[in-house]
Amino acid sequence: MKSFTKVAMTALIGLGVLSTNVYADAAKGQKIYQKKLKEVCGKTGAVFAASHTQMEWETAKDEGKLVEMMEAECPAGKDFFESKKFETKYKSHLYDFVHDFASDSGNIPSC
């Protein structure tokens, strides 16, 4: 019984740690944009995200063209968008940011 409890607790903690990477966060994407891209791109996050509609961002993500679309909006950020860290760590958060603050969303970010 004692070992079952240990295994169950280990599995629960493991799922908790792994699930934090699964859920993207628009607020985190906004912070990433401010910290990593705002100066490089030379435009605010509001202008960057509002360059397309929610449907356009969503279609680009579904078709695997999100990086190309972001590079078109910020050519100077090409190295960032093509980095492994962007693909593994930042992409989902930045997608949530641009989707939540797209031109037809009615939302305006503070960056």
Side-chain angles (χ1 to χ4, degrees), residues 35-55:
K35 188 174 179 180
K36 306 276 184 189
L37 292 169
K38 188 174 181 179
E39 285 186 31
V40 173
C41 296
K43 57 176 91 172
T44 65
V47 173
F48 182 79
S51 60
H52 295 282
T53 64
Q54 287 181 321
M55 182 61 79

Side-chain angles (χ1 to χ4, degrees), residues 59-91:
T59 302
K61 181 186 176 197
D62 292 344
E63 294 176 353
K65 297 180 179 177
L66 187 61
V67 172
E68 295 167 14
M69 187 179 270
M70 287 185 174
E71 280 181 13
E73 293 306 317
C74 178
K78 184 176 181 175
D79 291 340
F80 176 78
F81 293 123
E82 292 179 352
S83 69
K84 187 175 181 178
K85 199 168 188 177
F86 172 77
E87 190 68 30
T88 59
K89 193 171 180 181
Y90 300 138
K91 188 176 180 180

Side-chain angles (χ1 to χ4, degrees), residues 86-104:
F86 172 77
E87 190 68 30
T88 59
K89 193 171 180 181
Y90 300 138
K91 188 176 180 180
S92 60
H93 300 298
L94 272 175
Y95 168 72
D96 273 7
F97 168 66
V98 295
H99 186 267
D100 284 3
F101 296 102
S103 61
D104 61 342

Side-chain angles (χ1 to χ4, degrees), residues 17 20 31-32 69 72 75 78 102:
V17 169
T20 57
K31 287 180 185 174
I32 292 167
M69 187 179 270
K78 184 176 181 175

